[in-house]
């Protein structure tokens, strides 16, 4: 055996959790997936890796520079890279399996993605994305359904008050193209996307640089700052549709989406038209979404997405339009934890720890544990030789709410001692009664059930 | 836009599933995790990568040669590698978080692992491992509990008749050391491990090569071929314990484990002492497990593990003994699929597809979908403009069992048309009655509930 030891540390930027936190994260992840299935999205899972030419077919983006390539143990590079999002893998999946898929294809995918970011607070190199997309439809009602799914997810997760913002890129693009030109559109979109971060003065300065007239810059700012209902939008900009055909298209799609979001059951205070949502130079071509925590707007969007005309353009000539949205669950979890806003949730696994009062009761303790498990109650038996006090401290440190102490005398009366670990309350009850108390306790702490 | 297209293909050796198969796999994975929690194992999840020096601290194994290293987009190698199992990450995790963990530490972990194997049938480069381990105990009752957890997992998964074999390496090692020598032990273990694959003639030939006397080789073979209960073992080898202290130790541990397995509720026909289980040159030091499908012994073990004296020896001087077992879920899934033995399981997500009879009923259809989802029934609305026939074919191809056809007239009577997709049976019912029928259908097809 070696005498020098290797330091047991993780690479930086790769978070991991202690078990009781992991239990909470796992419930949140499962809740997200359950709501996705509630709304009829099909699960898929793609490999962690894609071929480099597939992954980088679009090219040019910042994210592409952060790709991890795979090499073998001799350091020889392969043609494989870890995926950096779930959208490119979806595009590849759809093209590869098109003959076996039914369109519109409603899929969800909750997997880890990897990005070689500079390690810093709130930035992870490995994190979960939870995506839904609907492929093969241009119907704006689908765009309206997406926010309603997110609304249901966040309500079940008991996320503090949030607002899902909706816009349509055709609006701001159409306005800019008519007012200024198509040429500098991409530059403008970057500036517009940075407005919340950099502020109004910087915006005007950049507009001047682009040679835009102050009156036009002022109008563009007014548009970007608009937040309200569709009626508010009509009041604020009654003649917007006259600007161009593209603007008119964007406006009418936005109306269907906004009305549809409400019909799909999102309360009006949770949905807003926010023309400031631009989504940088992304591949979105119509509807765009961002979601803000009302009390923490400074953290930015916690759930974003949009519509794309042509998801698979790098792999096929077949046009496959779609719409989707993505939740970055680790970032959301980290944020809620930091703000003390994690939902009240079970942080233990075992509902009960079975303890043998003495060696003679050991076999009976195992049999009782079997019985408890057979009715679906999470249970473990303390198998080590240890004083009763140490066994209770074990339960306490794991957050296990109940202990059942088994002794031999119990075999005649068929009762055991049930102890609530937090209060120390004890009672002599039959196993059936103990199970009822334990199950009731889990039931009232259960998380992720619909709330009315 | 580019005119040439990139071929949308996956790297070889990286399997992925179509949605309806994914639904089944997902239920199986979830069932595995649920049983692990039922038995009081805590979930943890470690990053996909570890530092190279941590991952390869043990060194020398075949698996280590299959490690994938990470490089950045410029091809510069990092110090990170994808993990090839979940045991090394567990060892690192335990040492890194030792102060925050309660011992014995019962953890489960169900994650993908990666191995740069030569791509061939049944060999994947990416696959799920589902592991349980208990760290920080030498108690053989813990070794006895492990097979009972696996028994419960496989029963819930409705795996065809299987047998969990148990042995203890101290037995075969002790016998060999006394009979022959300690020097050639490792060579012998490899030969013994290959016995089922290579047969008796090869075994004897190898024994001769090692210079072992025919009578000793015959005795060793008889030991390796033993399969039976502890009583059978005593009858077959009444004086085994006299051979050496190590053999005696192994024997008495094996008795506790075998008896304990039965006390933990495993029926005798599912557990056997199998002295042929050796586990090659692995790090196991005591109890070892393998699990065989009775009707398909040729596929080898579908679930293996064992006890190790010193899990974290490369990272710390603190001795941390433990015991664990691992299910390779993709391989098991592939096998069951190939043999037509996948358990009867729901292969759809949405329980019901809501259809609007005409445009006028669209809004009402959305509202009904909201209502259905609000009681927790998986549901989607068909949003595309399409003939009713096409909408039914959509439901059929996704396996959705029910369609609700909503029309405007229904708003007065509060009834809709509920159609069973497979039979075409239709009835006019209230939404409440429809939901009852739909929920009952899901209930009777539900998978993974305890069976009596």
């Amino acid at each position: 055996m070696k005498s020098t030891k290797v330091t047991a540390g993780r690479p930086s930027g790769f978070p991991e959790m202690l078990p009781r936190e992991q239990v909470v994260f796992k419930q949140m992840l499962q809740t997200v997936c359950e709501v996705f299935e509630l709304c009829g999205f099909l699960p898929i899972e793609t490999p962690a890796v894609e071929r480099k030419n597939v992954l980088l077919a679009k090219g040019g983006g910042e994210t592409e520079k952060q790709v991890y390539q795979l090499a073998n143990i001799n350091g020889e590079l392969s043609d494989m890279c870890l995926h950096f999002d779930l959208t490119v893998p979806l595009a590849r999946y759809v093209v590869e399996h098109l003959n076996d898929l039914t369109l519109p294809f409603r899929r969800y995918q909750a997997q880890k993605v990897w990005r070689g970011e500079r390690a810093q607070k709130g930035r992870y190199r490995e994190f979960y994305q939870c995506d839904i997309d609907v492929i093969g439809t241009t119907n704006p009602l689908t765009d309206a359904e997406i926010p309603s799914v997110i609304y249901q997810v966040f309500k079940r997760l008991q996320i503090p008050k949030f607002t899902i913002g909706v816009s349509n890129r055709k609006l701001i693009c159409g306005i800019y193209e008519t007012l200024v030109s198509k040429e500098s559109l991409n530059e403008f979109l970057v500036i517009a996307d940075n407005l919340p971060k950099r502020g109004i003065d910087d915006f005007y300065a950049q507009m001047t640089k682009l040679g835009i007239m102050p009156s036009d810059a002022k109008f563009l700012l007014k548009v970007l700052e608009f937040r309200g209902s569709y009626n508010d939008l009509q009041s604020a900009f009654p003649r917007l549709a006259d600007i161009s055909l593209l603007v008119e298209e964007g406006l009418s799609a936005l109306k269907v989406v906004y009305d549809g979001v409400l019909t799909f059951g999102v309360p009006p205070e949770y949905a807003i038209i926010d023309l400031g949502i631009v989504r940088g130079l992304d591949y979105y071509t119509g509807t765009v979404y961002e979601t803000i925590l009302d009390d923490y707007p400074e953290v930015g969007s916690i759930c974003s997405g949009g519509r794309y005309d042509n998801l698979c353009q790098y792999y096929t000539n077949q046009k496959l339009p779609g719409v989707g949205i993505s939740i970055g669950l680790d970032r959301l979890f980290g944020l809620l934890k930091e703000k003390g806003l994690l939902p009240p949730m079970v942080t233990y696994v075992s509902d009960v720890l079975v303890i043998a009062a003495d060696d003679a009761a050991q076999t009976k303790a195992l049999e009782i544990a079997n019985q408890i498990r057979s009715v679906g109650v999470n249970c473990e038996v303390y198998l080590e030789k240890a004083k009763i006090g140490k066994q209770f401290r074990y339960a306490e440190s794991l957050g296990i709410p109940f202990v059942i102490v088994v002794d031999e005398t119990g075999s005649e009366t068929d009762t055991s001692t049930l102890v609530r670990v937090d209060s120390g309350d004890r009672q002599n009850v039959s196993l059936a009664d103990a199970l009822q108390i334990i199950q009731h306790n889990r039931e009232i702490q259960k998380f992720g059930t619909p709330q009315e």
Side-chain angles (χ1 to χ4, degrees), chain A:
Chain A
M1 195 184 310
K2 294 177 190 173
S3 59
T4 55
K5 303 292 176 186
V6 173
T7 304
R10 265 169 302 139
S12 66
F14 291 82
E16 75 184 0
M17 298 175 191
L18 288 170
R20 291 185 68 172
E21 198 169 294
Q22 189 77 55
V23 170
V24 175
F25 184 82
K26 205 167 173 288
Q27 288 170 81
M28 288 181 68
L29 183 59
Q30 198 164 327
T31 301
V32 172
C33 294
E34 275 170 18
V35 177
F36 288 169
E37 295 198 357
L38 184 71
C39 298
F41 287 83
L42 300 168
I44 71 164
E45 185 166 351
T46 59
V49 300
E50 297 287 345
R51 286 203 184 127
K52 190 174 175 181
N53 62 344
V54 167
L55 205 59
L56 302 182
K58 178 171 162 272
E62 268 309 300
T63 313
E64 280 83 348
K65 289 182 198 150
Q66 300 170 340
V67 152
Y68 287 114
Q69 296 191 76
L70 261 53
N72 68 13
I73 191 68
N74 302 317
E76 294 156 357
L77 288 175
S78 74
D79 69 339
M80 298 184 279
C81 297
L82 293 174
H83 58 217
F84 53 79
D85 72 4
L86 302 176
T87 308
V88 179
L90 171 64
R92 193 267 310 148
Y93 183 97
V94 169
V95 174
E96 190 172 341
H97 303 292
L98 198 53
N99 289 335
D100 296 309
L101 299 177
T102 307
L103 299 183
F105 177 44
R106 299 161 69 88
R107 87 86 173 79
Y108 80 88
Q109 203 170 347
Q111 284 183 245
K112 282 178 173 176
V113 304
W114 293 270
R115 294 180 188 179
E117 301 228 33
R118 192 182 292 239
Q120 54 177 304
K121 183 169 169 289
R123 290 278 167 185
Y124 308 127
R125 290 175 170 165
E126 172 183 84
F127 54 94
Y128 271 99
Q129 283 200 337
C130 307
D131 284 22
I132 49 171
D133 287 85
V134 185
I135 309 299
T137 173
T138 56
N139 188 333
L141 269 181
T142 307
D143 305 38
E145 189 182 11
I146 300 284
S148 80
V149 179
I150 297 304
Y151 169 75
Q152 291 174 77
V153 169
F154 284 175
K155 285 309 274 185
R156 285 236 199 145
L157 290 180
Q158 299 180 32
I159 303 291
K161 178 69 177 64
F162 57 93
T163 306
I164 306 173
V166 188
S167 185
N168 190 306
R169 280 182 76 151
K170 288 180 181 172
L171 263 174
I172 193 71
C173 291
I175 294 168
Y176 188 85
E177 283 175 22
T178 303
L179 234 62
V180 187
S181 88
K182 205 167 176 169
E183 251 165 70
S184 53
L185 177 63
N186 278 348
E187 281 159 278
F188 169 73
L189 288 176
V190 173
I191 297 163
D193 198 38
N194 282 328
L195 173 58
K197 227 184 311 177
R198 303 229 178 121
I200 292 171
D201 290 350
D202 178 81
F203 177 81
Y204 278 128
Q206 300 290 336
M207 292 295 99
T208 309
K209 265 193 199 167
L210 277 182
I212 292 164
M213 286 192 301
S215 61
D216 287 345
K218 205 174 160 190
F219 180 71
L220 286 166
L221 182 67
K222 193 183 162 201
V223 171
L224 288 173
E225 284 184 329
F226 173 82
R227 301 181 85 244
S229 69
Y230 193 81
N231 281 341
D232 296 339
L233 180 62
Q234 279 192 309
S235 309
F237 302 98
R239 298 188 53 199
L240 213 53
D242 301 343
I243 291 179
S244 78
L245 200 64
L246 193 64
V247 176
E248 198 187 336
E249 261 180 51
L251 211 51
S252 77
L254 193 55
K255 179 172 167 46
V256 176
V257 174
Y258 182 78
D259 291 349
V261 166
L262 303 182
T263 312
F264 266 110
V266 179
E269 65 271 28
Y270 284 87
I272 201 163
I273 293 176
D274 179 348
L275 300 187
I277 299 171
V278 174
R279 306 295 309 144
L281 287 178
D282 266 321
Y283 36 67
Y284 300 117
T285 50
T287 305
V288 278
Y289 314 106
E290 285 187 357
T291 311
I292 296 291
L293 293 174
D294 291 8
D295 293 336
Y296 308 93
E298 71 279 6
V299 303
S301 176
I302 55 166
C303 175
S304 316
R307 167 166 286 284
Y308 30 82
D309 273 345
N310 203 351
L311 179 68
C312 309
Q313 57 181 303
Y314 302 105
Y315 317 123
T316 177
N317 288 317
Q318 185 166 348
K319 209 166 177 182
L320 288 162
V323 59
I325 203 163
S326 178
I327 306 171
L329 199 60
D330 299 77
R331 195 163 148 262
L332 181 58
F333 184 87
L335 187 71
L336 295 174
K337 190 183 149 192
E338 182 191 317
K339 307 285 184 195
L341 294 170
L342 278 177
M345 214 179 277
V346 165
T347 63
Y348 55 85
V349 166
S350 289
D351 292 292
V352 55
L353 178 70
V354 178
I355 283 178
D358 47 45
D359 284 358
Q362 181 77 271
T363 300
K364 195 180 161 206
L366 299 190
E367 285 160 2
I368 285 182
N370 292 345
Q371 279 179 271
I372 295 174
R373 287 170 179 169
S374 73
V375 297
V377 171
N378 296 358
C379 161
E380 58 184 293
V381 210
Y382 200 88
L383 298 174
E384 303 296 293
K385 295 211 184 308
K387 289 193 176 143
I388 291 278
K390 186 174 179 190
Q391 301 193 41
F392 269 90
R393 282 197 300 280
Y394 174 86
E396 204 170 19
S397 76
L398 295 184
I400 301 174
F402 293 99
V403 163
I404 288 181
V405 184
V406 178
D407 56 39
E408 265 306 284
T409 59
S411 58
E412 288 138 39
T413 56
D414 194 32
T415 64
S416 320
T417 309
L418 179 71
V419 187
R420 271 204 84 103
V421 175
D422 55 3
S423 64
D425 291 347
R426 37 178 72 219
Q427 51 189 134
N428 261 326
V429 289
S430 69
L431 185 59
D433 287 348
L435 284 172
Q436 210 164 17
I437 295 167
I438 292 165
Q439 277 174 312
H440 177 69
N441 181 69
R442 162 76 70 164
E443 211 48 55
I444 58 173
Q445 294 194 47
K446 200 174 168 184
F447 176 76
T449 41
Q451 302 183 311
E452 273 325 296

